[in-house]
């Protein structure tokens, strides 16, 4: 594809991802840098670049890439989610929390944002703050994964009767 169209951004991103997968992060970053030049308003290109920069050990450049993705797509929940997950990865929990909440402002029924907040609160020892997010996942997702996660939450905080009831409801539901 790149031989026919050297400015094909999707092909450049694929090549960059392939190079990174082959452990050539520097070359992958270079290819993604070219993709960014061709499509400076593409949030997914910045997100890919941020992942590679973090993997290469440069969290400052990675953060700049994720922030740039949000700047070019301020109405994209995915851009906020990528930035929030970056903050989780580098243990900036306050920034992660605020960014997950911003993603929910953009997309109020974002399963990924609720899931991210629940996980963040569990990771940071704020289990009581996680419960409403697990419950909302059950309400908006309604699938067995969300119910199992809620029951796991109950087990982790020693609320075994609630865990049992959640699993019993799952087991007896005609939906499953």
């Amino acid at each position: 594809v790149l031989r026919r169209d050297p400015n094909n951004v999707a092909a450049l991103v694929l090549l960059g991802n392939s190079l990174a997968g082959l452990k050539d992060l520097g070359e992958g970053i270079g290819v993604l840098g070219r993709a960014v030049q061709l499509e400076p308003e593409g949030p997914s290109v910045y997100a890919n670049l941020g992942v590679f920069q973090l993997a290469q050990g440069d969290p400052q450049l990675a953060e700049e890439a994720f922030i740039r993705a949000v700047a070019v797509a301020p109405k994209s929940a995915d851009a906020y989610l990528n930035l929030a997950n970056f903050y989780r990865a580098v243990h900036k929990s306050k920034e992660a929390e605020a960014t997950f909440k911003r993603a929910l402002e953009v997309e109020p029924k974002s399963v990924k944002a609720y899931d991210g907040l629940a996980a963040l609160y569990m990771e940071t020892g704020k289990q009581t703050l996680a419960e409403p997010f697990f419950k909302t996942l059950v309400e908006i997702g309604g699938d067995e994964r969300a119910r199992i996660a809620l029951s796991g939450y109950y087990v982790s905080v020693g609320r075994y009767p609630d865990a049992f009831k959640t699993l019993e409801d799952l087991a007896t539901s005609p939906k499953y």
Side-chain angles (χ1 to χ4, degrees):
V1 171
L2 288 171
R3 282 189 205 133
R4 285 182 289 174
D5 181 6
N7 294 330
N8 185 307
V9 174
L12 287 168
V13 170
L14 181 60
L15 176 60
N17 286 332
S18 298
L19 289 166
L22 295 170
K23 306 294 186 220
D24 193 348
L25 282 174
E27 188 67 24
I29 288 171
V31 170
L32 286 177
R34 191 166 137 222
V36 164
Q37 289 174 340
L38 293 169
E39 192 175 299
E41 301 302 312
S44 63
V45 178
Y46 289 107
N48 276 290
L49 184 58
V51 169
F52 293 169
Q53 289 167 328
L54 184 60
Q56 195 171 43
D58 197 335
Q60 183 177 348
L61 282 178
E63 183 175 14
E64 290 171 13
F66 288 116
I67 288 172
R68 183 69 183 140
V70 167
V72 300
K75 294 184 180 186
S76 167
D78 285 340
Y80 287 102
L81 290 168
N82 290 329
L83 178 59
N85 282 314
F86 162 77
Y87 285 138
R88 270 182 69 199
V90 297
H91 308 292
K92 291 184 174 183
S93 59
K94 287 181 184 176
E95 292 87 344
E97 179 182 18
T99 309
F100 277 124
K101 287 180 177 179
R102 181 67 184 115
L104 284 173
E105 290 172 14
V106 171
E107 188 179 319
K109 292 190 176 190
S110 171
V111 170
K112 291 178 184 177
Y114 282 104
D115 192 42
L117 274 165
L120 176 68
Y121 289 138
M122 295 300 289
E123 293 165 1
T124 57
K126 298 177 181 177
Q127 288 86 351
T128 57
L129 296 177
E131 183 176 7
F133 296 97
F134 281 116
K135 285 183 171 181
T136 301
L137 283 168
V138 169
E139 290 170 19
I140 62 174
D143 63 1
E144 62 272 3
R145 181 192 163 284
R147 292 174 190 276
I148 291 169
L150 177 60
S151 70
Y153 163 77
Y154 288 139
V155 168
S156 74
V157 297
R159 290 172 54 189
Y160 303 111
D162 291 328
F164 183 76
K165 179 168 179 0
T166 302
L167 290 174
E168 189 175 66
D169 290 347
L170 176 63
T172 59
S173 172
K175 185 176 176 183
Y176 304 106

